[in-house]
Amino acid sequence: MSAVFVAVLVLLGLGLVFGILLGYSSIRFKVEGNPLVDQVDSLLPQTQCGQCGHPGCRPYAEAIVNADEAINKCPPGGQSTVEALADLLDVEALPLDAESEAEPIKKVAYIREDECIGCTKCIQACPVDAILGAAKQMHTVITSECTGCDLCVEPCPVDCIDMLPLETTLNNWQWPAPKPGIELIATDRQPSIALEVKG
Amino acid sequence: MKNTIRVHQFHGGIHPPENKKQSTGAPISLAPIPSRIVLPLQQHIGLPADPVVRVGQRVLKGQLVAEAIGRISANIHASISGTVVAIEPHPVPHMSGMKADCLIIESDGKDEWIEHQGLADYTKLPTQALIEYIRQSGIAGMGGAGFPTDVKLHLGDDHIVNTLIINAAECEPYITADDMLMRERADEIMGGIEIIAHLLKPLHIMVGIEDNKPQAIRALHAAMDNSALNLDIVITPTKYPSGGEKQLIKLLTGVEVPSGSIPADVGIVCQNVGTTSAIYRAVTHGEPLISRIITVTGQAAAHKQNYEVRLGTPLADLLNHSAVERQQLQRLIIGGPMMGITVTDEQIPVIKTTNCLIAGSIKEMPPQPPAQACIRCGMCEQVCPAELLPQQLYWFAKGKEFDKARHHNLFDCIECGACSYVCPSNIPLVQYYRFAKAEIRKEDDEQRKADHARQRFEARLARLERDKIEKEERRKQRAIDAAAAQAAKKDAALNQAPTASVSAAPEAGTPDLKQLKSNAAIARTKLKKAEKALNNAQDKGLDGIDTLKETLKQLQLKSAQAEKAYSDAQNAPAKAAAPVLDLKQLKSNAAIARTKLKKAEKQLANATASGEGDISALTAQVSLLQDKNIAAEKAYKAAESGPSNAAAAPIDTTELEADIAALQAKVDKATSAWQAAVASASPAADKMAAGVEKLTTKLKGLQDELSQARAALPASSATVDTTELEADIAALQGKVDKANSAWQAAVASASPAADKMAAGVEKLTTKLKGLQDELSQARAALPASSTTVDTTELEADIAALQGKVDKANGAWQAAVASASPAADKMAAGVEKLTTKLKGLQDELTQAKSRSEAAMPAAAPATAAPDLKALKQQVSIMRTKLKKAEKQLTELPEGADNAALMAEIDSLKARHDAAKALWDAAEADKIAAAAAQGVDLKQLKIDAAMARAAVTKAERALSKAEDDQPALEAELVTIRAQADKLNATLERFSD
Ligand code: SF4
Ligand code: SF4
Ligand code: SF4
Ligand code: SF4
């Protein structure tokens, strides 16, 4: 009898100890905010363009997590973002909801400076403060900060902002993917083909 | 030759044919001095150098032409003497085959050195200074990546360097540049090692060299004998890629450099032999890095040997010098056959890292056979020196599973090509890895950029939020300030009150009185309510009447108290403070008393007539009030006579004027009331007429007084501002207008009062004229200088009058349209107004001519504001014209529109005149501005806007299929405008 009693006591004690431990750690190591929203937000390209129908990337992330918004609404992110989101949220990857190509070309804004009248409208539109200028002064885009969101183009009263594709330089040039090899069986190999394919 | 040190092993490796013998037959020879060199500003990772010479500038051999910016960057020196001919994009040795900014120098054939001198004793220099000296020489790693050497020399600062390894392995086939360097310049190499050892102070120095270079090993040993250095020459078996940094470290020390860290983390620094020689030359001879040893080999080359080549020499020069047979040339490779890059452009220059040039024939560099499917033979895995799983990496890269590739240590791959070399399926494995690495880097980069953008976005939001809060706070602060100010005012008043009431209470009387009065009123109201309640209760026989009665009594008491306090207070100031009280207060007191008396009298009369109410109480009240009234009036008179005796002459006339104005208003009101009465045929009309008369008399009296007072003013007041008069005139004018319109309305409704009103109008008009006369006199009386008075006022008058004329005109036309009988009269009125307008306009022109004559010098200055006014006028006229035209179109058909047409014509004429004036003025201004180069900006902006409008219109046109003609017309006008603006702009901008 006393053995049972002891066992019950020990188990109770253990339960108590672990309960306290868990309770303490849940307070001590409390995670601030919604970590899932943060994770989703970190996958979004942060272009802040609003093309998803939300006023920025974070609101879209919140909508995805809290309001069951579709994950395929981010054109700048392209299909790869959709896939990453599908991976994270363990849902099916939908095709990108945009008429444009799946992997959009990266663009940056460029102000034709001698046409700028210095109205500062573009500055107010830019979500990342990538435009430099002052009233009645020429404005210019800090290319390295521009996310290519397109939001500054419309407000310009003299239409002097262009979206230009990012120039390839030695520093951002990339090795292309190897051409998918003509994977033949060795006996099918023909000299003409062999000559065509230069390494 | 045997090792005193045990050589370790690294995993994998291959033994490709060496092909080194061909180029070691001849000694190093100097390549001819190129006639033109091309120096890429970026020759390695890190930042490109910044040119410090101008195009057209003459430079000497060894002169600094581009300066390092940032830590990982290296200086660039001219390798020949000559002239900088261009700084422009030019093909560079890069896998992409792209162009990059290069400095191009044309040789002058003199090959003239800049003054240079080595360090006599580098050991005397502090370490940092010596490293800086080496940095100035632009030395970069000459083995592979071209990493700036000084960065590696600084490693001693924050790492403990135990072992210095000199990389002399040169494991790649074909290349013999280091081999020949060691054979011929072993002393230089030893000198360089000494300098590096001096800087890094390693415990142990090792030179790793493959056993296929016996001559070089011999030379090194010989040089070592002359050197004080304690170093080990470690001979390693020939195996590719033993020259890889991590592989050589493994070979010599057995230490494996962990993935993701640099050798310095394990206390090891590697330097290439070529670099050591360059350091030696820089330090002892002061020669910057301007040349290097390059192996030219390959079956297509006739002379396969090593050359000392000036940096920047185009490949074509070298190929020609070694007689490369172009027909045979299948592939031109910079670097070795395993890790080099294929280039197609012979104008590509030699740079700091170019160690070999292979002109391969089709026999030795056959085109790669097509890739086939991986057969999972595992050979790649066996040869990989980095102990990776190449086959796995290949699958991941092909399937774009970059994350997995990364987790399989893709970034440890040194791209040695061993796996591709052995792959029986000819899969271009390294290409896949390069692609995967690039993709991963891009992703990382994008992630970094996204994080950055997020930060900036959040910062912006925070800033906007902060701005909002600040604004809110400022607003609040303002509100608080205002409240505080008000509170302070109140406090001041309260503080004053008690003190004032203690002494004599003239000022305190006002607030106190008010307070008391409202108290009394409240008490009275309460009393009344209570009484009502009591009555109610009594009527209905409810209980609680007693309590109510009690309350009532209390209330009555309170009310009486309040009332008494009030009347006491009211009496007190009247008695005590008469002499100090200002006239106004007294006057208003008297007036109040009078009114009260009148009211009471009326009440009394009513009461008497109806025979109800407490007549006796009322009578008493009336008599009390009468007393009070008399007292007040007396006090007022006394007060009035006091100051008027003492200070009549200097008294301000403004008060009088204000009185007059007030009275005038009363007169007006009374008059209108009377007219209304007349119109409605009320019996009270006669009495009212009398009242009006009385008021008018009083007004006259006051006016007389005023004129006397004015006359009494000293002569200087002749210069008195006429604005007041003008304001009077304007007010009167307004009245006249009102009266006029009332009269017209009356006429229109055929009211009997019309005639009388007409008379009133006449009277008012007369008065107006009088005032106007006065004004002109006053103006005339003004000194001559005041002729320069601003005409804007006049203009404003004119504009106002114009508006009136227009309105009258409109009314008249409406009347005409409705066939009203009053139309004729209205026409006359309109005529009159128009005449007046003309008069004013004349005046304006006179004034303008006068002012212009008065200040011809100042004319240009005033031109600018005038221009604005003119512009406004023009636009106003335009609007008017448009309105008139619209009216015309809206006029019913058959109506008499001749007048309207005439008016439109006149308006048009006026508009044109104004426009012409404006245009002339503007032309002047633009000419003037252009002379100074101003206003171009404005023009530019206008032009830009116009241009944008054109594009927008065009866009709209293209979008809108229907409604095209209208849009087109619009476009045409806009374009015309834009063209005009552009033309103007062009006229001034050249
Ligand atoms: S500059 Fe224009 S395109 Fe670039 S981030 Fe700002 S608003 Fe977007
Ligand atoms: S909106 Fe256009 S005109 Fe205005 S400041 Fe920006 S670039 Fe210049
Ligand atoms: S290229 Fe990379 S994977 Fe292939 S053998 Fe060399 S290190 Fe290994
Ligand atoms: S060597 Fe080639 S075929 Fe063999 S496992 Fe590696 S990739 Fe596949």
Side-chain angles (χ1 to χ4, degrees):
Chain A
M1 197 60 206
S2 75
V4 173
F5 198 63
V6 165
V8 167
L9 265 187
V10 164
L11 282 176
L12 268 178
L14 275 176
L16 209 67
V17 167
F18 285 119
I20 288 168
L21 211 73
L22 280 174
Y24 171 74
S25 54
S26 78
I27 295 163
R28 174 73 180 73
F29 303 107
K30 190 172 168 61
V31 181
E32 283 303 330
N34 188 342
L36 191 56
V37 171
D38 283 337
Q39 281 175 42
V40 171
D41 190 32
S42 72
L43 286 180
L44 295 172
Q46 305 300 322
T47 315
Q48 316 293 359
C49 61
Q51 290 180 65
C52 52
H54 298 270
C57 294
R58 186 156 188 103
Y60 180 42
E62 275 159 10
I64 289 175
V65 174
N66 301 324
D68 268 341
E69 177 65 294
I71 58 168
N72 60 347
K73 298 235 164 126
C74 176
Q79 192 62 38
S80 54
T81 299
V82 176
E83 265 148 31
L85 284 173
D87 229 29
L88 174 72
L89 302 170
D90 205 15
V91 294
E92 207 165 320
L94 307 159
L96 188 68
D97 182 18
E99 24 336 323
S100 57
E101 67 273 53
E103 284 302 326
I105 307 158
K106 284 258 172 275
K107 289 184 174 175
V108 287
Y110 171 77
I111 295 179
R112 292 197 299 278
E113 285 163 359
D114 40 348
E115 285 173 41
C116 169
I117 57 169
C119 69
T120 74
K121 290 224 167 68
C122 51
I123 291 191
Q124 288 152 35
C126 180
V128 292
D129 281 342
I131 300 180
L132 207 63
K136 300 242 164 67
Q137 306 291 325
M138 173 207 72
H139 284 52
T140 200
V141 176
I142 309 168
T143 309
S144 60
E145 310 293 0
C146 173
T147 65
C149 69
D150 213 21
L151 292 181
C152 55
V153 175
E154 194 43 43
C156 179
V158 294
D159 268 347
C160 71
I161 306 183
D162 294 324
M163 296 303 294
L164 300 181
L166 255 184
E167 245 178 79
T168 322
T169 64
L170 287 192
N171 287 323
N172 61 16
W173 175 84
Q174 278 189 13
W175 281 100
K179 280 193 217 93
I182 310 159
E183 294 180 353
L184 300 168
I185 306 167
T187 48
D188 285 349
R189 194 182 290 173
Q190 281 165 21
S192 62
I193 295 172
L195 278 176
E196 259 174 36
V197 188
K198 284 189 189 175
Chain B
M1 272 170 283
K2 62 178 175 33
N3 278 325
T4 50
I5 289 194
R6 196 174 75 87
V7 178
H8 301 260
Q9 277 284 327
F10 69 88
H11 178 267
I14 52 172
H15 298 273
E18 283 175 25
N19 285 318
K20 294 198 186 230
K21 293 274 182 311
Q22 299 96 312
S23 53
T24 50
I28 299 172
S29 74
L30 289 179
I33 296 161
S35 61
R36 172 191 160 90
I37 57 166
V38 178
L39 298 170
L41 294 177
Q42 181 164 27
Q43 310 199 355
H44 46 75
I45 53 165
L47 291 171
D50 193 30
V52 293
V53 290
R54 280 169 289 107
V55 172
Q57 186 178 336
R58 178 158 195 272
V59 292
L60 295 175
K61 178 171 154 189
Q63 183 177 338
L64 178 73
V65 290
E67 205 173 34
I69 32 177
R71 189 153 139 82
I72 303 183
S73 187
N75 284 348
I76 296 170
H77 300 81
S79 56
I80 53 172
S81 65
T83 317
V84 180
V85 291
I87 301 173
E88 61 183 20
H90 188 276
V92 293
H94 192 266
M95 300 70 103
S96 63
M98 285 191 342
K99 292 181 174 189
D101 281 341
C102 295
L103 239 157
I104 300 170
I105 300 172
E106 203 91 59
S107 169
D108 57 6
K110 294 196 188 108
D111 201 29
E112 193 179 329
W113 261 107
I114 194 166
E115 215 172 290
H116 63 287
Q117 200 181 10
L119 297 172
D121 186 358
Y122 65 82
T123 52
K124 291 226 177 78
L125 225 56
T127 318
Q128 297 304 324
L130 183 55
I131 295 175
E132 184 55 29
Y133 185 86
I134 293 169
R135 177 179 161 87
Q136 288 303 322
S137 304
I139 295 171
M142 300 174 66
F147 202 71
T149 301
D150 61 287
V151 180
K152 273 187 177 179
L153 295 179
H154 271 300
L155 286 174
D157 301 350
D158 44 4
H159 291 84
I160 301 157
V161 180
N162 296 319
T163 313
L164 171 66
I165 290 179
I166 305 299
N167 188 345
E170 200 167 48
C171 57
E172 240 190 303
Y174 286 96
I175 311 176
T176 55
D178 286 350
D179 187 2
M180 294 308 289
L181 183 74
M182 284 185 279
R183 288 189 207 183
E184 297 185 18
R185 302 182 187 169
D187 294 338
E188 281 183 10
I189 291 168
M190 280 302 154
I193 294 173
E194 271 169 37
I195 296 167
I196 299 171
H198 167 73
L199 285 171
L200 292 177
K201 310 230 165 13
L203 300 176
H204 196 183
I205 306 168
M206 289 192 274
V207 180
I209 186 164
E210 278 189 346
D211 57 12
N212 58 359
K213 306 180 187 63
Q215 280 169 290
I217 294 168
R218 255 199 308 280
L220 279 184
H221 272 293
M224 197 174 82
D225 291 341
N226 303 331
S227 159
L229 272 183
N230 166 32
L231 88 178
D232 289 306
I233 296 172
V234 186
I235 299 155
T236 66
T238 301
K239 180 162 95 171
Y240 179 82
S242 56
E245 195 172 53
K246 288 185 179 176
Q247 282 67 39
L248 190 64
I249 290 170
K250 181 85 201 288
L251 271 179
L252 301 193
T253 64
V255 174
E256 212 161 304
V257 181
S259 167
S261 46
I262 57 169
D265 293 339
V266 290
I268 298 169
V269 171
C270 276
Q271 288 287 1
N272 180 271
V273 268
T275 316
T276 60
S277 134
I279 289 176
Y280 172 80
R281 284 174 86 140
V283 172
T284 51
H285 302 309
E287 287 175 21
L289 183 59
I290 56 165
S291 68
R292 66 157 297 142
I293 315 286
I294 294 177
T295 310
V296 180
T297 182
Q299 285 177 353
H303 313 298
K304 305 177 188 63
Q305 69 172 106
N306 282 281
Y307 298 102
E308 176 157 8
V309 183
R310 299 285 168 85
L311 298 185
T313 306
L315 297 184
D317 285 19
L318 263 183
L319 297 180
N320 293 339
H321 185 61
S322 30
V324 168
E325 189 63 58
R326 303 294 153 98
Q327 250 89 49
Q328 277 206 39
L329 181 61
Q330 155 78 7
R331 251 173 108 190
L332 185 60
I333 295 170
I334 293 181
M338 306 297 291
M339 299 175 77
I341 55 173
T342 305
V343 294
T344 47
D345 193 331
E346 289 188 6
Q347 286 311 310
I348 287 174
V350 166
I351 60 170
K352 291 175 186 174
T353 53
T354 313
N355 51 6
C356 183
L357 201 57
I358 306 174
S361 70
I362 189 143
K363 229 171 101 200
E364 63 183 336
M365 303 279 165
Q368 199 178 348
Q372 293 169 60
C374 168
I375 56 170
R376 300 182 188 263
C377 62
M379 278 163 79
C380 50
E381 189 270 321
Q382 279 168 30
V383 299
C384 177
E387 295 176 59
L388 301 175
L389 300 170
Q391 174 208 5
Q392 287 296 326
L393 292 176
Y394 159 63
W395 289 115
F396 294 146
K398 201 175 170 193
K400 305 211 168 143
E401 294 172 283
F402 301 126
D403 259 2
K404 286 191 189 150
R406 192 208 294 255
H407 288 132
H408 279 73
N409 295 323
L410 173 66
F411 280 91
D412 281 352
C413 167
I414 58 169
E415 299 176 24
C416 67
C419 50
S420 305
Y421 181 78
V422 296
C423 179
S425 292
N426 300 314
I427 300 172
L429 293 169
V430 181
Q431 276 185 47
Y432 278 103
Y433 306 152
R434 284 171 170 167
F435 162 67
K437 280 181 180 176
E439 282 297 310
I440 293 172
R441 279 199 196 103
K442 189 175 111 192
E443 256 170 38
D444 286 355
D445 210 51
E446 262 163 27
Q447 191 59 48
R448 217 171 303 126
K449 243 190 129 176
D451 288 343
H452 189 66
R454 185 187 301 116
Q455 265 174 25
R456 284 184 77 87
F457 181 58
E458 274 160 13
R460 178 185 153 90
L461 288 185
R463 175 171 64 81
L464 293 179
E465 189 63 25
R466 206 171 50 233
D467 283 358
K468 217 165 84 191
I469 289 170
E470 262 167 27
K471 221 191 247 163
E472 185 67 16
E473 232 144 55
R474 270 205 299 278
R475 201 182 58 72
K476 261 192 211 145
Q477 193 57 46
R478 266 205 304 277
I480 289 169
D481 285 353
Q486 222 163 34
K489 234 193 251 164
K490 248 186 217 158
D491 281 356
L494 280 179
N495 288 342
Q496 258 173 4
T499 41
S501 63
V502 166
S503 58
E507 296 121 301
T510 340
D512 262 356
L513 264 182
K514 249 189 202 158
Q515 187 62 35
L516 279 170
K517 202 171 165 182
S518 67
N519 276 355
I522 292 167
R524 231 176 307 149
T525 329
K526 267 192 199 157
L527 183 58
K528 260 189 207 150
K529 261 192 213 156
E531 270 173 349
K532 226 194 210 160
L534 182 60
N535 284 342
N536 235 344
Q538 264 170 344
D539 284 354
K540 291 180 190 162
L542 294 172
D543 1 306
I545 296 179
D546 289 344
T547 25
L548 267 174
K549 268 189 186 159
E550 197 64 26
T551 329
L552 184 59
K553 238 180 229 162
Q554 269 174 18
L555 276 172
Q556 260 165 343
L557 208 69
K558 245 197 230 165
S559 169
Q561 267 174 6
E563 207 112 342
K564 194 159 163 261
Y566 170 52
S567 54
D568 279 359
Q570 216 175 14
N571 288 338
K575 277 178 216 149
V580 246
L581 257 189
D582 68 328
L583 275 176
K584 245 188 197 162
Q585 182 63 36
L586 275 173
K587 205 169 161 186
S588 70
N589 275 357
I592 292 168
R594 230 176 308 146
T595 333
K596 267 194 203 153
L597 178 59
K598 265 190 200 146
K599 251 194 229 159
E601 274 172 350
K602 213 166 153 199
Q603 233 172 328
L604 182 57
N606 274 345
T608 326
S610 59
E612 321 165 353
D614 196 348
I615 297 178
S616 59
L618 268 171
T619 322
Q621 210 185 343
V622 169
S623 60
L624 202 114
L625 274 169
Q626 261 165 344
D627 285 353
K628 236 199 242 173
N629 185 15
I630 290 164
E633 225 138 277
K634 233 195 236 157
Y636 168 54
K637 283 218 181 105
E640 205 179 27
S641 60
S644 65
N645 285 348
I651 197 174
D652 197 1
T653 55
T654 42
E655 210 169 320
L656 255 179
E657 277 167 41
D659 284 357
I660 291 177
L663 203 54
Q664 182 81 51
K666 259 192 237 161
V667 172
D668 291 347
K669 237 193 255 165
T671 315
S672 65
W674 166 60
Q675 279 163 357
V678 169
S680 61
S682 157
D686 289 25
K687 269 191 203 163
M688 283 171 93
V692 171
E693 210 118 291
K694 245 205 285 193
L695 274 173
T696 321
T697 324
K698 209 154 124 204
L699 179 59
K700 277 220 183 100
L702 269 177
Q703 274 169 336
D704 286 354
E705 216 175 309
L706 175 60
S707 47
Q708 277 172 14
R710 285 226 178 116
L713 286 176
S716 70
S717 67
T719 62
V720 78
D721 198 0
T722 55
T723 43
E724 213 168 316
L725 254 179
E726 278 165 335
D728 283 359
I729 290 177
L732 204 52
Q733 181 82 52
K735 263 186 242 155
V736 172
D737 292 346
K738 240 193 254 163
N740 240 333
S741 64
W743 167 61
Q744 277 160 2
V747 169
S749 60
S751 157
D755 290 23
K756 274 193 196 161
M757 281 171 93
V761 170
E762 210 115 293
K763 247 204 286 191
L764 274 173
T765 320
T766 323
K767 207 154 109 200
L768 178 60
K769 273 213 188 109
L771 269 177
Q772 275 168 337
D773 285 354
E774 213 176 313
L775 175 61
S776 47
Q777 277 171 14
R779 285 228 177 115
L782 286 177
S785 71
S786 65
T787 49
T788 62
V789 77
D790 198 1
T791 54
T792 41
E793 215 167 315
L794 252 180
E795 278 166 41
D797 283 359
I798 290 176
L801 202 53
Q802 182 80 51
K804 263 186 239 154
V805 172
D806 292 348
K807 238 191 255 162
N809 241 333
W812 169 59
Q813 277 156 6
V816 169
S818 61
S820 157
D824 290 24
K825 275 193 197 160
M826 281 170 93
V830 170
E831 208 119 292
K832 248 202 290 192
L833 274 174
T834 319
T835 324
K836 208 155 97 198
L837 177 61
K838 280 222 181 97
L840 268 179
Q841 274 168 337
D842 286 354
E843 210 177 319
L844 175 61
T845 39
Q846 277 171 17
K848 270 200 186 147
S849 63
R850 236 182 304 151
S851 66
E852 263 157 40
M855 41 174 189
T862 51
D866 263 355
L867 197 63
K868 230 187 210 165
L870 267 171
K871 200 168 165 183
Q872 256 165 27
Q873 237 168 305
V874 170
S875 62
I876 290 170
M877 295 249 190
R878 212 181 307 135
T879 331
K880 265 190 218 156
L881 188 56
K882 263 191 204 143
K883 259 194 221 152
E885 276 168 348
K886 206 164 144 212
Q887 235 171 352
L888 184 59
T889 53
E890 273 168 13
L891 216 58
E893 250 180 73
D896 179 21
N897 53 11
L900 210 53
M901 293 278 257
E903 200 209 328
I904 287 174
D905 283 348
S906 84
L907 266 175
K908 244 187 213 156
R910 251 183 11 229
H911 171 233
D912 288 350
K915 183 111 192 259
L917 205 59
W918 179 56
D919 281 349
E922 206 192 26
D924 280 358
K925 191 189 165 203
I926 287 173
Q932 299 158 17
V934 216
D935 206 37
L936 274 177
K937 223 180 197 173
Q938 187 54 40
L939 251 179
K940 255 188 204 167
I941 291 175
D942 286 352
M945 291 284 249
R947 257 192 312 245
V950 172
T951 33
K952 267 187 200 158
E954 274 170 350
R955 225 182 276 153
L957 185 57
S958 66
K959 264 190 214 152
E961 294 294 83
D962 41 71
D963 202 16
Q964 245 186 10
L967 272 172
E968 248 161 32
E970 201 184 333
L971 179 58
V972 167
T973 52
I974 291 174
R975 206 179 270 155
Q977 211 179 335
D979 286 350
K980 215 166 63 188
L981 274 170
N982 268 341
T984 328
L985 186 58
E986 255 155 49
R987 199 140 42 87
F988 291 124
S989 46
D990 50 30

